[in-house]
Amino acid sequence: MALARVSSSSSRLLLLPPSTTSSLLHPFLRPFSTSSVSSPPRLSHSRSYPVDASFPQTSPLPSTGREEGEVTEAPRPTSRRPWKPTCLYYTQGKCTMMDDVSHLEKFNHSLLLDLPVNASAAEKVKPQKLDYFLVLDLEGKVEILEFPVVMIDAHSMEFIDSFHRFVRPTTMSEQRIGEYIEGKYGKFGVDRVWHDTAIPFGEVLREFEDWIGGHKLWEQKQGESLNSAAFITCGNWDLKTKVPEQCKVSKIKLPSYFMEWINLKDIYLNFYNRRATGMTTMMRELQIPIVGSHHLGIDDTKNITRVVQRMLADGAIIQITARRHPDTSEVKFLFKNRIR
């Protein structure tokens, strides 16, 4: 159902409808250990491709009256492995049932086959200025509730790794948190997992910095930006507005790696010469079926990643669209033709 830190040898994951997911998860959710999960070493820049993987040739979204964002089954470029819902404790690095055969039979602990790529699609990718893209889609209007990132190779489109944390608000009362999470995540059947795994935003950033440091994408120096990598967001809100607001609430200085980003809407507008109001518009126009639950951050991040893969395969050059001045915090938008 969601992902966090997984290796490139992962297998596939998907979602069930919320009612089914909730019933499946309940018997298998139990307290977890708090031992940390070490960051995997950064993979060498390889152009090899999974043997079974292929870039999905998607069909138009069916006009079946399905509500936008409803859980759907992902395209199956290969069907040798049966689909399983993903263990949400594992996505937080806290699953204690990895030796439980019945648990492993019922729940997936992987992502790679959910973002497949083949050599013929990768051959169409044009040279990029960056080596890695970090696709980010935050959740939470009052405070950030979910911080999901999917890392892909900018040249081969291959999935490299992912980072996913639920975030516990710092200014809300416990009663308000309970009501907020029930309304936000209860409909997906993951509110219990959120309560068990969510940590304060400051801790999320420390773990995230360990993760990007492990991939050699960032060093903790004054004013250090990402190394040959950039965040991709679907709009400017995530990094222009929400992260600075959350840092202020959490009394944290805005980290240097958040000073520039790629607004996929601007890239989409300039490449296809048409406007897209959001992720669902892009997916509909590109005939990519939505997978998972819309507004569950990790699912939206995965779907945005699939749009990025398609655009790369279509020949788009994906580059920085916005940059924040470190002293004045003024944001400069680098594309004249952009979504306002």
Side-chain angles (χ1 to χ4, degrees):
M1 163 150 226
L3 73 130
R5 192 170 305 168
V6 295
S7 68
S8 60
S9 59
S10 311
S11 44
R12 64 185 305 155
L13 71 94
L14 282 173
L15 289 177
L16 287 177
S19 59
T20 307
T21 305
S22 181
S23 62
L24 279 172
L25 285 175
H26 185 75
F28 295 94
L29 304 182
R30 71 185 190 189
F32 50 83
S33 66
T34 57
S35 59
S36 61
V37 176
S38 60
S39 300
R42 186 189 187 188
L43 301 183
S44 60
H45 194 70
S46 171
R47 299 299 180 85
S48 62
Y49 305 95
V51 175
D52 294 338
S54 61
F55 196 74
Q57 300 298 314
T58 54
S59 57
L61 290 175
S63 55
T64 59
R66 183 187 301 278
E67 292 295 326
E68 185 177 86
E70 184 177 342
V71 176
T72 62
E73 183 171 321
R76 293 190 178 186
T78 60
S79 57
R80 298 188 182 113
R81 298 175 178 85
W83 176 83
K84 302 175 185 178
T86 299
C87 171
L88 294 180
Y89 288 103
Y90 180 81
T91 69
Q92 309 301 301
K94 296 171 181 175
C95 178
T96 61
M97 304 180 70
M98 297 299 291
D99 296 328
D100 189 315
V101 175
S102 62
H103 175 75
L104 296 178
E105 287 177 350
K106 293 180 182 294
F107 292 94
N108 206 343
H109 298 74
S110 62
L111 179 66
L112 179 60
L113 291 185
D114 222 27
L115 296 166
V117 177
N118 69 13
S120 62
E123 287 173 357
K124 301 175 183 178
V125 178
K126 292 185 177 180
Q128 303 291 317
K129 295 181 179 180
L130 299 163
D131 289 330
Y132 299 99
F133 296 131
L134 303 179
V135 183
L136 168 71
D137 193 72
L138 302 173
E139 288 296 329
K141 294 182 178 180
V142 180
E143 290 192 46
I144 294 175
L145 299 176
E146 190 176 355
F147 189 97
V149 178
V150 169
M151 176 182 175
I152 65 170
D153 187 300
H155 306 284
S156 70
M157 303 188 296
E158 286 184 299
F159 167 78
I160 300 298
D161 200 359
S162 57
F163 178 91
H164 179 218
R165 294 292 183 272
F166 287 125
V167 187
R168 180 170 292 277
T170 58
T171 61
M172 294 184 186
S173 67
E174 287 301 315
Q175 179 179 351
R176 179 70 181 99
I177 290 176
E179 295 169 349
Y180 194 24
I181 296 309
E182 182 179 0
K184 170 66 177 174
Y185 289 109
K187 60 186 176 183
F188 303 133
V190 301
D191 48 329
R192 177 179 173 181
V193 183
W194 187 96
H195 283 292
D196 282 348
T197 61
I199 57 178
F201 186 67
E203 292 183 33
V204 171
L205 288 189
R206 284 192 290 273
E207 293 186 7
F208 180 67
E209 289 171 3
D210 289 342
W211 184 79
I212 55 177
H215 284 291
K216 310 301 182 186
L217 299 181
W218 182 74
E219 294 182 9
Q220 196 165 10
K221 298 178 181 178
Q222 185 69 28
E224 191 76 9
S225 59
L226 291 175
N227 177 30
S228 196
F231 289 101
I232 294 181
T233 57
C234 192
N236 291 307
W237 176 85
D238 300 79
L239 294 181
K240 177 181 179 291
T241 303
K242 195 60 196 175
V243 166
E245 286 181 352
Q246 184 65 58
C247 285
K248 186 176 294 185
V249 169
S250 301
K251 299 180 180 179
I252 298 170
K253 181 180 179 180
L254 182 65
S256 59
Y257 47 81
F258 286 135
M259 294 300 175
E260 58 184 21
W261 61 90
I262 298 165
N263 179 358
L264 193 61
K265 292 181 182 179
D266 290 347
I267 303 295
Y268 189 96
L269 171 64
N270 284 273
F271 181 66
Y272 293 116
N273 198 28
R274 59 177 184 256
R275 299 172 67 87
T277 57
M279 177 196 78
T280 55
T281 303
M282 295 179 189
M283 299 188 76
R284 182 173 61 251
E285 292 182 350
L286 296 176
Q287 300 184 345
I288 304 173
I290 294 175
V291 177
S293 297
H294 190 23
H295 296 310
L296 182 61
I298 189 59
D299 289 344
D300 283 351
T301 300
K302 183 171 59 179
N303 281 319
I304 294 169
T305 302
R306 295 166 66 217
V307 173
V308 172
Q309 287 178 319
R310 170 61 63 82
M311 292 183 67
L312 287 169
D314 284 349
I317 304 296
I318 299 181
Q319 55 189 312
I320 302 294
T321 63
R323 185 171 288 121
R324 184 189 305 274
H325 193 285
D327 297 324
T328 65
S329 294
E330 179 183 355
V331 174
K332 180 180 181 180
F333 299 104
L334 307 181
F335 280 32
K336 181 178 180 180
N337 189 25
R338 66 183 183 88
I339 301 293
R340 300 178 186 275

